Amino acid sequence: MGTLIVLLVLALFLTAIFTGGYNKDFLDRVKTSKVWDWLTTVDHKKIAILYFMSGFFFFIVGGIEALFMRLQLIVPHNDLFVGDTFNELLTMHGTTMIFLAAMPMIFGLMNAIVPLQIGARDVAFPFVNALGFWLFFAGGLLLNLSWIFGGAPDAGWTSYTSLALNEYSPGPGIDYYVLGLQISGIGTLIGGLNFLVTIINLRAPGMTYLRMPLFTWTSFVTSALILFAFPALTVALLLLMFDRLFGANFFDYTMGGSTVIWQHLFWIFGHPEVYIVILPAFGVMSEVISTFSKKRLFGYTSMVFATVLIGFLGFMVWVHHMFTVGLGPVSNSLFAVATMAIAVPTGIKVFNWLFTMWGGEIRFTTAMLFAVGFIPTFVMGGMTGVMLALPPADYQYQDSYFVVAHFHYVLVGGTVFGMFAGAYYWWPKMFGKLLDEKLGKFHFWTFLIGFHLTFFPQHFLGLFGMPRRVFTYQSGVGLETINLISTIGVFGMTIGTLAFIYNIYKTFKVEAQAPADPWNGRTLEWAIPSPPPEYNFAQLPRVRGLDPFWLEKQAGNKGMTPAEPLGSIHMPSPSYLPVLMSLGFFIAGFGFIARGNYAVGILGLIVVVITMFMRSFEQDHGYHIEPEEIEDANKGVQA
Amino acid sequence: MAAHTHENTAPQNGHLETASLDGKNKVLGFWLFLGAETVLFACLFGTYLALRNQTMGGPTGEHLFDLKLVALATAILLTSSLTSVLAMHAMNQLKLKTMQFWLGVTVLLGLGFLVLEIYEFIHYVHEGHTFMSSAFGSSFYALVGTHGAHVTFGIVWISTLMLQAAKRGITTEMAPKLFVSSLYWHFIDVVWVFIFTLVYLLGKVG
């Protein structure tokens, strides 16, 4: 507690000294600084950049962890990272990639694009949006600080009990997992809720549900999945926290508990989670393929229907992660059938993408390459998914590298390819600059080849009997060559990602601004400047059908027809409360992890409660942007 | 938006809480949030039902539960739902004093429920039924305790809003806040109905 206060005071002093002395102007200087602007922003476009960039940062961290694991497995009996360290690496790789890389990058794209695609000026709850980001960031930071303070969690990203209980995982590792994920999970939950309300209530005039672009539709279904799946994780983590910190007995067999409850709760969350991260990627692919084939998306209505159906069935299949628990043939069969049923709507989607390209005027930009590379890759992942859905066969595959190969084919081949496609496609809209296409194509080919080189051989590693999550293997049992090839492939993905980083760096230095509509786009976001002004649309657009901007262009119009006269626009004020509240949660999390120091934990919670009161009593009506300012800013630009 | 419409006139359709876009967003958002809360409690109920017979030789539910006390608590909480409705009715008629009176009654009934629950928990601990004594104990206190924490939060929340309403009156900005707090209050009431059935009544049957 004392240490904490000393640290806080020190941090304040250092900020003051480095920004030019601690005097009366200090607060003014802070309030006009760029850092303060980003810390307090409630603008969905800035929050999008925060989400995407921190997600990409964690993607690099998780990637380095993966690289370390493959280096350990390059030859048999290697001793680079063994035992506990390897367990920490595999746990943190999975946890980081799912919760701290995939989810925020998806939220980044959703924040940047969904309000623009539905013709809205902002999200429904800008404050909640900012709070969601900062909670995610606080949780992610807390989780990763475990590397420095006390050791990272090492019970796998699924953190199965009894392994995750005090007896088998002493030390703070799992506590970091429990509290870090709990905090970032709350952020994700309120983020999803915000998008549901935004899409339901803030669509522009004429933007009916069946005119919404597919990325908006998939974001909508994903948000619904987040809303109903994350509470199960909340409860699972809560119970594990009770067991570890407060002596409860939910998962302790000797006291009547049951470890299977953890598995149920985790997978009731965990299976919808994989659809949460894949559906927005489907949405990106639909947009990209339709734009670069210069065709309306084939079977739009069936695409929407398939998305909703996948979301619905996603809740009915969690037991396929538990076939070998021994729940009995009836339950295994039911869940196997439900799992295989998901292949039907997914198949509908794949065929629709193919038919969209058929007869189209295809342009192979980087975004399109990622979309086209995604289709066969994802289909392979889907195929092994159906294989794993058969309980008798699953007894053979389970816990082997076959499973590892399967879920990397869907998560990397689906989500990561989707995020890269989305990045290249929407970069001009997010940052106002076009990414370099030549470097982008280099990125695509090295990443695609590296990916298949890494994970295709792992199917065979699994079939030859190599278990997952094990840090070494015997020589002379036929595993050496395949492991070596797999490790070589990782370098392909590494080089590709480095090319992407260099591309970002290069793009920031380029002067040329991207045009409003660089790809001859079809949806509303391309009708406004890149990057859009903070109010997005000077006048809300009137939507006349699916692909509204394309329809206007076909009718010979330069932009959208406005649905309202030019008027003053209401904007929400920035707020420092989201950061403060997240800081409270962060401190509370740390206090509970450092056991026996509950004073710090309670201090953190008090900060949270105080900020809640401040928010409740705050009377802030935002500010208005007047039509004259809009016309000044918009000289020559059609909104 | 809310900033423009602060006149105190009764709304056309009789619903002040959805008179502004902000209000509409808040009410819809809160309904969705209650959906998430439903999943949260469903998970806690599932855990309790799976573990409720794991008493490890400690006292069983049949031995512990006193239905008279619980029935009284139930009656108090259900009545508080009614008073909360009366408060919302008064709000939409712009009767500040009546609304404050019924909100006050709601908070007092909530406090009464909480006192009974704390008394009940103390009694159980004396009987040897604690959070750490068995899986039954852990799951019982996790479920009923989470509900109790929700009641506590609701009491603090509604009291805060009463303070704000006293200062600001009934406006299109206050109305959605008051309305969603009332939704929340009904929700914890509904959860209690399930707790009464699945924990106490089922516990008595064995």
Side-chain angles (χ1 to χ4, degrees):
Chain A
M1 182 79 177
T3 328
L4 183 80
I5 293 168
V6 171
L7 276 176
L8 281 177
V9 174
L10 188 73
L12 273 177
F13 266 120
L14 283 181
T15 326
I17 289 164
F18 280 108
T19 53
Y22 191 77
N23 50 31
K24 254 200 266 171
D25 309 331
F26 178 61
L27 275 181
D28 277 350
R29 244 181 302 117
V30 167
K31 284 206 167 164
T32 50
S33 72
K34 232 178 181 162
V35 176
W36 183 256
D37 179 42
W38 281 89
L39 284 176
T40 59
T41 185
V42 291
D43 180 357
H44 71 93
K45 296 175 288 297
K46 282 186 176 166
I47 292 172
I49 291 171
L50 289 172
Y51 259 125
F52 196 84
M53 283 311 181
S54 44
F56 187 65
F57 168 74
F58 283 121
F59 177 77
I60 306 281
V61 174
I64 291 171
E65 283 153 5
L67 182 65
F68 284 174
M69 280 191 286
R70 277 319 314 172
L71 285 177
Q72 160 65 19
L73 293 171
I74 191 166
V75 288
H77 300 298
N78 200 359
D79 54 4
L80 190 58
F81 300 101
V82 295
D84 280 350
T85 317
F86 192 85
N87 289 347
E88 289 177 350
L89 282 173
L90 70 89
T91 303
M92 286 301 283
H93 167 69
T95 314
T96 305
M97 284 302 196
I98 293 278
F99 292 99
L100 309 180
M103 301 285 301
M105 281 168 86
I106 285 164
F107 262 110
L109 288 185
M110 277 162 69
N111 260 299
I113 301 305
V114 168
L116 305 184
Q117 281 194 334
I118 60 172
R121 293 217 168 92
D122 206 332
V123 290
F125 307 113
F127 178 90
V128 170
N129 201 14
L131 181 61
F133 168 75
W134 288 109
L135 282 176
F136 140 71
F137 193 71
L141 208 59
L142 188 62
L143 188 56
N144 273 281
L145 284 179
S146 64
W147 283 114
I148 310 169
F149 303 107
D154 56 358
W157 86 279
T158 50
S159 204
Y160 270 22
T161 55
S162 309
L163 181 59
L165 295 182
N166 282 331
E167 199 178 335
Y168 303 102
S169 292
I174 309 292
D175 299 341
Y176 277 107
Y177 173 93
V178 167
L179 287 153
L181 286 191
Q182 190 70 282
I183 293 168
S184 78
I186 299 168
T188 307
L189 180 75
I190 59 179
L193 192 146
N194 179 27
F195 273 97
L196 281 173
V197 179
T198 303
I199 294 172
I200 295 173
N201 272 1
L202 296 187
R203 281 166 292 131
M207 179 60 82
T208 58
Y209 280 107
L210 282 181
R211 286 177 182 176
M212 292 195 315
L214 216 75
F215 180 67
T216 300
W217 254 112
T218 51
S219 299
F220 186 56
V221 175
T222 280
S223 303
L225 292 183
I226 288 174
L227 187 75
F228 293 114
F230 266 75
L233 178 72
T234 306
V235 171
L237 293 172
L238 195 71
L239 301 187
L240 186 55
M241 180 184 82
F242 284 152
D243 263 21
R244 286 184 60 89
L245 296 181
F246 303 108
N249 310 299
F250 293 102
F251 309 119
D252 183 356
Y253 262 108
T254 57
M255 296 299 280
S258 159
T259 56
V260 181
I261 288 177
W262 169 268
Q263 296 188 23
H264 277 298
L265 290 176
F266 187 85
W267 289 117
I268 286 173
F269 148 76
H271 199 80
E273 169 71 14
V274 306
Y275 293 102
I276 290 170
V277 296
I278 196 65
L279 283 176
F282 286 173
V284 174
M285 299 311 180
S286 306
E287 303 285 317
V288 167
I289 289 176
S290 158
T291 303
F292 293 116
S293 303
K294 216 175 174 185
K295 266 179 74 184
R296 194 191 130 130
L297 187 69
F298 187 91
Y300 169 83
T301 326
S302 70
M303 282 297 236
V304 171
F305 180 71
T307 306
V308 177
L309 196 63
I310 291 174
F312 177 74
L313 287 174
F315 279 101
M316 313 275 156
V317 296
W318 80 88
V319 169
H320 70 214
H321 297 272
M322 303 163 62
F323 279 155
T324 56
V325 169
L327 298 175
V330 175
S331 102
N332 278 5
S333 313
L334 282 173
F335 280 93
V337 171
T339 305
M340 282 181 271
I342 293 191
V344 177
T346 315
I348 291 175
K349 279 178 169 283
V350 170
F351 282 111
N352 279 338
W353 288 318
L354 294 178
F355 287 138
T356 306
M357 285 195 283
W358 192 24
E361 234 179 78
I362 299 178
R363 281 176 291 160
F364 280 108
T365 58
T366 310
M368 184 64 169
L369 281 177
F370 271 108
V372 174
F374 150 86
I375 295 176
T377 313
F378 187 80
V379 167
M380 285 170 73
M383 277 301 302
T384 48
V386 175
M387 288 167 76
L388 284 161
L390 303 161
D394 184 70
Y395 271 75
Q396 302 302 317
Y397 305 136
Q398 75 112 10
D399 236 356
S400 76
Y401 262 84
F402 191 81
V403 179
V404 176
H406 157 70
F407 66 69
H408 281 92
Y409 261 80
V410 284
L411 283 174
V412 182
T415 308
V416 175
F417 278 33
M419 290 306 105
F420 281 143
Y424 281 96
Y425 183 58
W426 280 313
W427 202 266
K429 203 43 74 181
M430 286 173 81
F431 295 92
K433 305 270 180 71
L434 277 160
L435 283 171
D436 187 90
E437 280 290 303
K438 230 179 186 172
L439 266 171
K441 281 173 187 162
F442 177 76
H443 171 198
F444 167 72
W445 285 111
T446 44
F447 198 88
L448 180 88
I449 294 168
F451 166 76
H452 282 280
L453 208 57
T454 307
F455 291 107
F456 191 72
Q458 290 190 1
H459 290 110
F460 299 100
L461 274 184
L463 294 177
F464 296 165
M466 180 155 164
R468 65 192 280 212
R469 292 172 169 170
V470 170
F471 65 82
T472 193
Y473 50 94
Q474 296 260 305
S475 52
V477 289
L479 300 176
E480 291 105 318
T481 323
I482 312 181
N483 266 305
L484 180 66
I485 295 172
S486 182
T487 302
I488 290 170
V490 175
F491 290 101
M493 286 195 278
T494 311
I495 292 166
T497 310
L498 288 175
F500 184 55
I501 295 171
Y502 178 65
N503 202 345
I504 294 174
Y505 167 75
K506 204 178 147 193
T507 304
F508 274 116
K509 297 192 83 178
V510 167
E511 294 281 308
Q513 285 287 318
D517 181 19
W519 313 116
N520 197 6
R522 313 174 71 83
T523 40
L524 280 180
E525 74 267 31
W526 305 112
I528 52 174
S530 308
E534 55 176 330
Y535 45 80
N536 297 351
F537 296 88
Q539 291 162 288
L540 290 184
R542 175 174 305 286
V543 175
R544 299 180 211 254
L546 184 65
D547 292 345
F549 187 44
W550 184 255
L551 288 180
E552 298 290 333
K553 284 196 277 191
Q554 291 300 92
N557 301 331
K558 272 192 181 156
M560 300 299 299
T561 316
E564 59 172 15
L566 210 54
S568 95
I569 296 172
H570 174 258
M571 302 295 295
S573 318
S575 171
Y576 59 89
L577 290 177
V579 178
L580 198 60
M581 199 185 282
S582 307
L583 189 70
F585 272 111
F586 182 81
I587 294 172
F590 239 132
F592 285 110
I593 289 165
R595 305 204 189 167
N597 207 344
Y598 291 130
V600 175
I602 289 162
L603 176 84
L605 289 179
I606 289 172
V607 172
V608 172
V609 172
I610 289 175
T611 45
M612 283 169 93
F613 274 109
M614 283 165 77
R615 172 66 182 162
S616 182
F617 279 94
E618 185 179 62
Q619 263 188 316
D620 183 80
H621 298 126
Y623 61 98
H624 286 82
I625 296 180
E626 299 307 324
E628 301 82 55
E629 295 174 56
I630 299 169
E631 276 180 359
D632 284 350
N634 257 24
K635 278 245 159 73
V637 182
Q638 278 283 333
Chain B
M1 298 288 257
H4 296 302
T5 47
H6 270 244
E7 337 54 74
N8 280 0
T9 47
Q12 296 283 311
N13 61 355
H15 285 286
L16 199 58
E17 69 273 3
T18 48
S20 68
L21 178 62
D22 260 1
K24 280 191 188 107
N25 287 345
K26 272 191 184 140
V27 171
L28 174 65
F30 204 80
W31 272 108
L32 293 170
F33 173 73
L34 291 183
E37 287 268 73
T38 308
V39 178
L40 182 115
F41 275 103
C43 291
L44 287 170
F45 272 111
T47 309
Y48 173 77
L49 290 178
L51 297 176
R52 69 189 187 94
N53 291 321
Q54 308 293 327
T55 55
M56 300 326 263
T60 61
E62 200 177 351
H63 167 78
L64 284 166
F65 300 149
D66 174 12
L67 278 191
K68 272 184 205 150
L69 188 78
V70 183
L72 181 63
T74 309
I76 290 177
L77 203 61
L78 290 186
T79 313
S80 78
S81 237
L82 174 69
T83 57
S84 165
V85 172
L86 292 172
M88 285 309 104
H89 189 64
M91 179 189 84
N92 274 322
Q93 294 179 327
L94 300 174
K95 290 179 183 160
L96 180 64
K97 275 193 182 152
T98 325
M99 182 189 82
Q100 295 284 50
F101 171 75
W102 287 121
L103 285 181
V105 176
T106 309
V107 167
L108 285 179
L109 288 171
L111 277 173
F113 170 85
L114 214 55
V115 168
L116 282 184
E117 186 157 78
I118 292 169
Y119 168 79
E120 185 197 350
F121 281 5
I122 292 173
H123 173 70
Y124 291 161
V125 170
H126 280 297
E127 298 264 320
H129 172 57
T130 71
F131 192 53
M132 294 187 253
S133 62
S134 65
F136 165 58
S138 300
S139 59
F140 172 83
Y141 286 108
L143 172 60
V144 185
T146 304
H147 177 265
H150 275 74
V151 174
T152 315
F153 186 85
I155 290 170
V156 177
W157 186 10
I158 294 175
S159 312
T160 309
L161 291 182
M162 283 173 69
L163 270 177
Q164 290 182 12
K167 272 202 291 189
R168 300 176 195 169
I170 299 169
T171 63
T172 44
E173 202 200 346
M174 278 309 293
K177 287 176 153 193
L178 288 158
F179 182 76
V180 296
S181 75
S182 152
L183 275 184
Y184 174 85
W185 196 256
H186 293 313
F187 174 75
I188 49 183
D189 239 22
V190 173
V191 172
W192 180 258
V193 171
F194 280 92
I195 291 182
F196 182 65
T197 323
L198 290 175
V199 176
Y200 292 101
L201 290 184
L202 198 65
K204 272 297 180 196
V205 185

